Amino acid sequence: LNDKQQPIIAVDAMGGDNAPREVVAGAVAAQRDGIARVILVGDRERIEPHLVAAQARIEIVHAPDVVPMDVAPSQAVRGADRSSVGVAVDLVRTGRAHAVVSAGSSGAFLAIALIRLRTIPGIMRPAIGAVLPTPKQPVVLIDAGANVDCRPEWLMQFGIMGSAYAQAVLGMRTPRVAIVSIGEERGKGNAQVLEAAELLESAPIHFIGNAEGRDLFSGRADVLVTDGFVGNVMLKLAEFESIALQTAIREALLSSGLDVKLGALLTRRAFGKLKRALHYETYGGAPLLGLRGNCIVAHGRSSRIAVRNAIRVAATEVHEDVIGKIGKLVAPLVQAVRA
Amino acid sequence: LNDKQQPIIAVDAMGGDNAPREVVAGAVAAQRDGIARVILVGDRERIEPHLVAAQARIEIVHAPDVVPMDVAPSQAVRGADRSSVGVAVDLVRTGRAHAVVSAGSSGAFLAIALIRLRTIPGIMRPAIGAVLPTPKQPVVLIDAGANVDCRPEWLMQFGIMGSAYAQAVLGMRTPRVAIVSIGEERGKGNAQVLEAAELLESAPIHFIGNAEGRDLFSGRADVLVTDGFVGNVMLKLAEFESIALQTAIREALLSSGLDVKLGALLTRRAFGKLKRALHYETYGGAPLLGLRGNCIVAHGRSSRIAVRNAIRVAATEVHEDVIGKIGKLVAPLVQAVRA
């Protein structure tokens, strides 16, 4: 794919709380803006009316089934031949698409992608790399929920994958990678963290040691490595705290006197800018890293803007060859293990 | 101690970033406001000038040494006979004080308190119960950092202790206790969480099942149970995100045009109220729960307001007999284990 060629992105039209309406609208916007050529995967009869309404032409690949949000991963794998996310993943496996985006169940997506696409040689486990908007700069949190229990070697690989992603997609030259622990000093943490820190020390990345929960917002690190349990708790805490604080501010302003209300009106523009900067929509989706295929998990509550941005992230992954870059970084480790 | 008697609180005058100045000032305020009778413990020569300046009379118990923030717990235990926190804990052990407050190293405080005071019969491990201010109501997060690796039985006891504390000190009648996991549905989580959830189900508390990171702010639970690694990461993330967002808002307002600046001025009062409600100072300190003695860890950066409020929390713990209440709740479990 050269710079002028458009990547082809398979989009699971049926995944997420607002599917297919918002997913189709996001896909239309992405294709109209020249971000990518999109293939919509799902129930043709439910997708077409939205395309007609938008006066847009996008290729549809039919898939009769939808994976429910609370499905067991094993069941999702069994039904993959007929489900929208399963068929979308298969478009990547067979080379018809360069990447796949889904706002449906991330557990189902991951399970299907792992079986159908397999991992990059040398990678032990795929991980979710969430990109969190913070006031200063985005931070990559990896693993944000794919693996609840992790071996230290996996954590080391998460550091490599997160660093490669931050370089390729976020344009950071030398991402500062840290491991999440309960104190900045070396030697603080549990056995798993201490062992992983030692491995990260010798990995081909810029490892800066331990980070704390606060470092998601301190600007001290660009990539935070942690297991999928802690990462998922952090992601959901951070995302909802931002929403809760913004709600509390709005309520405090609205329940006040006329002078405060006037003040709120005057400050609205400045707040709006900040709110957009901190909104999950800005980064659109979290990559499943470590697979032989570009997979982007979009937020379950994705609006059309979030879907469009997730497609943009997918297109950037393709253009920047994230998979190739991760493969190159882990290749020496694979050889070291074999030797 | 009847309702009219003042509890006696031993305060480590040398602990924390702003010691002894802010600690002494907080102690003076607490005693002046009739919250407690305070005993200041530490280097008499460094404490006295601040008392003289405040024209206040507070009993001093001399201790020559200060425990550094980065000390190893074992070393802190060895030097406990001469350190301000060690001598303060001993005042509780010998019955000269009802509670102890320290803003110094929480690891050192915990180690000394565990050795000198021991646990309540039946309690396997003490835990830090952080009280987090949120827009809706305070939430008790337990364990916030005492135990990096936890057995399911410990987590069950943390739930009991957190519930007893929320009832006694925060005045909640039937605290809703949940365990932190990666999904609300039962069966989501790692092996440790699943086993602990089963034990919590049969504990003498109102257990509502799994919670997610977002539930620190959703108002769905009053007590969140987790191991000390996850709890510490959550505490530091939540605290610093609030600070980071408030800073970002201030900067966004100040870097804007004159109209926005005027608006900011008008909204200042409403913001101030919210800021105070969300500030860590409001709850003053986190209790070390499960010990045979009331111990309150104040924030390392404690101001005089935070110290005063930590003394208030300590006094409430004494008045409400939190230790006795925890003892009663765990007694049946102890008998069950013996039977």
Side-chain angles (χ1 to χ4, degrees):
Chain A
L1 208 71
N2 69 39
D3 278 1
K4 282 174 192 163
Q5 281 178 304
Q6 276 197 344
I8 301 165
I9 314 292
V11 175
D12 168 12
M14 313 310 284
D17 300 345
N18 308 312
R21 193 190 64 234
E22 292 298 303
V23 180
V24 173
V28 167
Q31 186 156 304
R32 188 194 55 214
D33 298 349
I35 292 170
R37 194 157 82 69
V38 176
I39 301 176
L40 286 166
V41 185
D43 185 341
R44 184 181 296 276
E45 283 189 22
R46 292 184 56 200
I47 296 170
E48 264 174 351
H50 296 286
L51 282 177
V52 171
Q55 296 187 295
R57 290 188 128 177
I58 297 186
E59 182 182 350
I60 298 175
V61 169
H62 183 69
D65 293 351
V66 178
V67 168
M69 279 311 265
D70 56 352
V71 74
S74 56
Q75 199 187 328
V77 167
R78 278 196 300 275
D81 282 339
R82 293 169 52 88
S83 69
S84 57
V85 60
V87 172
V89 167
D90 249 22
L91 291 179
V92 172
R93 188 178 60 82
T94 56
R96 281 191 59 198
H98 297 101
V100 51
V101 171
S102 175
S105 157
S106 58
F109 189 7
L110 180 64
I112 293 169
L114 183 56
I115 297 279
R116 296 284 167 112
L117 302 177
R118 307 208 167 266
T119 53
I120 296 168
I123 290 291
M124 297 165 180
R125 287 290 176 125
I128 299 176
V131 183
L132 273 99
T134 82
K136 283 178 185 160
Q137 100 280 38
V139 172
V140 179
L141 183 66
I142 183 170
D143 174 21
N147 309 278
V148 287
D149 291 305
C150 289
R151 284 167 42 194
E153 295 79 18
W154 303 0
L155 292 172
M156 185 263 281
Q157 295 197 337
F158 296 171
I160 292 175
M161 296 196 292
S163 180
Y165 187 82
Q167 282 179 331
V169 177
L170 303 177
M172 295 174 173
R173 200 181 293 182
T174 315
R176 297 158 299 170
V177 181
I179 186 160
V180 175
S181 190
I182 56 168
E184 282 186 16
E185 306 85 0
R186 211 168 165 165
K188 287 230 173 175
N190 54 25
Q192 181 202 40
V193 166
L194 300 186
E195 212 178 311
E198 210 159 292
L199 295 171
L200 282 159
E201 196 75 61
S202 61
I205 52 172
H206 179 40
F207 179 64
I208 62 166
N210 280 7
E212 300 180 273
R214 53 176 276 135
D215 290 314
L216 200 50
F217 296 90
S218 70
R220 217 173 59 83
D222 303 306
V223 178
L224 292 181
V225 175
T226 189
D227 68 56
F229 187 95
V230 177
N232 186 270
V233 171
M234 290 177 74
L235 176 66
K236 287 175 180 167
L237 197 174
E239 199 176 88
F240 200 73
E241 177 166 359
S242 172
I243 295 170
L245 278 177
Q246 289 176 39
T247 306
I249 289 170
R250 195 170 57 235
E251 281 171 7
L253 294 179
L254 291 179
S255 67
S256 301
L258 203 63
D259 54 337
V260 175
K261 284 205 184 88
L262 173 66
L265 204 65
L266 291 171
T267 55
R268 196 190 269 177
R269 190 162 37 88
F271 270 117
K273 214 167 115 187
L274 184 66
K275 199 174 158 183
R276 277 190 298 281
L278 293 178
H279 203 284
Y280 75 91
E281 285 180 341
T282 314
Y283 296 100
L288 294 178
L289 293 172
L291 295 167
R292 270 187 260 190
N294 297 292
C295 299
I296 302 287
V297 185
H299 205 294
R301 284 180 284 121
S302 283
S303 66
R304 59 189 67 192
I305 299 171
V307 172
R308 178 191 170 281
N309 287 345
I311 295 170
R312 182 175 48 73
V313 167
T316 311
E317 272 199 41
V318 175
H319 272 305
E320 298 293 336
D321 188 23
V322 170
I323 294 172
K325 280 171 182 159
I326 291 175
K328 264 186 208 137
L329 282 168
V330 293
L333 302 172
V334 182
Q335 284 158 1
V337 170
R338 281 190 186 140
Chain B
L1 206 69
N2 67 39
D3 277 3
K4 283 177 191 159
Q5 281 179 304
Q6 276 197 345
I8 302 166
I9 314 292
V11 175
D12 168 12
M14 315 309 285
D17 299 346
N18 307 312
R21 193 190 64 233
E22 291 299 301
V23 180
V24 173
V28 167
Q31 186 155 304
R32 190 193 54 214
D33 298 348
I35 292 170
R37 194 158 83 66
V38 176
I39 300 176
L40 287 166
V41 185
D43 186 341
R44 183 180 298 276
E45 282 189 22
R46 291 183 58 198
I47 297 170
E48 264 173 351
H50 295 286
L51 282 178
V52 171
Q55 295 187 293
R57 290 189 126 179
I58 295 188
E59 183 183 347
I60 299 174
V61 168
H62 182 70
D65 293 351
V66 178
V67 167
M69 281 310 268
D70 57 351
V71 73
S74 55
Q75 201 187 327
V77 168
R78 278 197 299 276
D81 283 337
R82 294 169 51 89
S83 70
S84 57
V85 61
V87 172
V89 167
D90 249 23
L91 291 179
V92 172
R93 187 179 60 83
T94 57
R96 282 191 60 199
H98 298 101
V100 50
V101 171
S102 175
S105 157
S106 58
F109 189 5
L110 179 64
I112 293 169
L114 183 56
I115 297 278
R116 296 285 167 113
L117 303 177
R118 305 205 169 270
T119 53
I120 296 169
I123 291 291
M124 296 165 180
R125 285 293 175 120
I128 298 175
V131 183
L132 273 101
T134 81
K136 282 178 188 159
Q137 98 283 35
V139 172
V140 178
L141 182 68
I142 181 168
D143 174 20
N147 310 281
V148 286
D149 291 305
C150 289
R151 283 166 42 195
E153 295 81 17
W154 304 359
L155 292 172
M156 185 263 282
Q157 296 199 335
F158 296 170
I160 293 175
M161 299 197 291
S163 179
Y165 187 83
Q167 282 180 329
V169 176
L170 303 177
M172 294 172 174
R173 201 183 290 183
T174 314
R176 296 158 298 169
V177 181
I179 187 161
V180 175
S181 191
I182 55 169
E184 282 186 14
E185 305 85 3
R186 214 170 162 163
K188 285 229 174 177
N190 54 25
Q192 182 203 41
V193 165
L194 299 188
E195 212 178 312
E198 211 159 295
L199 295 171
L200 282 160
E201 196 76 59
S202 60
I205 53 171
H206 179 40
F207 180 62
I208 62 166
N210 280 6
E212 299 181 274
R214 53 176 274 136
D215 290 314
L216 201 51
F217 295 90
S218 71
R220 218 172 59 84
D222 303 306
V223 177
L224 291 181
V225 174
T226 186
D227 69 54
F229 187 95
V230 177
N232 186 269
V233 170
M234 289 176 75
L235 175 67
K236 287 176 178 164
L237 197 174
E239 199 176 88
F240 201 73
E241 177 166 1
S242 172
I243 295 170
L245 278 179
Q246 289 176 38
T247 306
I249 289 170
R250 198 170 53 236
E251 281 170 8
L253 294 179
L254 291 179
S255 68
S256 300
L258 204 61
D259 53 338
V260 175
K261 283 205 184 86
L262 172 65
L265 205 64
L266 291 171
T267 55
R268 196 191 271 179
R269 190 163 38 86
F271 269 119
K273 215 167 114 188
L274 183 67
K275 197 175 161 185
R276 275 191 301 281
L278 294 178
H279 202 283
Y280 74 91
E281 284 181 342
T282 313
Y283 296 99
L288 296 178
L289 293 171
L291 296 167
R292 271 187 260 190
N294 296 292
C295 299
I296 301 288
V297 186
H299 205 294
R301 284 180 283 121
S302 283
S303 65
R304 57 190 67 193
I305 298 170
V307 171
R308 178 190 169 284
N309 287 345
I311 295 170
R312 181 176 49 72
V313 168
T316 310
E317 271 198 43
V318 176
H319 272 305
E320 298 293 335
D321 187 23
V322 171
I323 294 172
K325 281 170 181 159
I326 292 175
K328 265 186 208 135
L329 283 168
V330 291
L333 302 174
V334 181
Q335 284 157 1
V337 170
R338 280 191 187 139

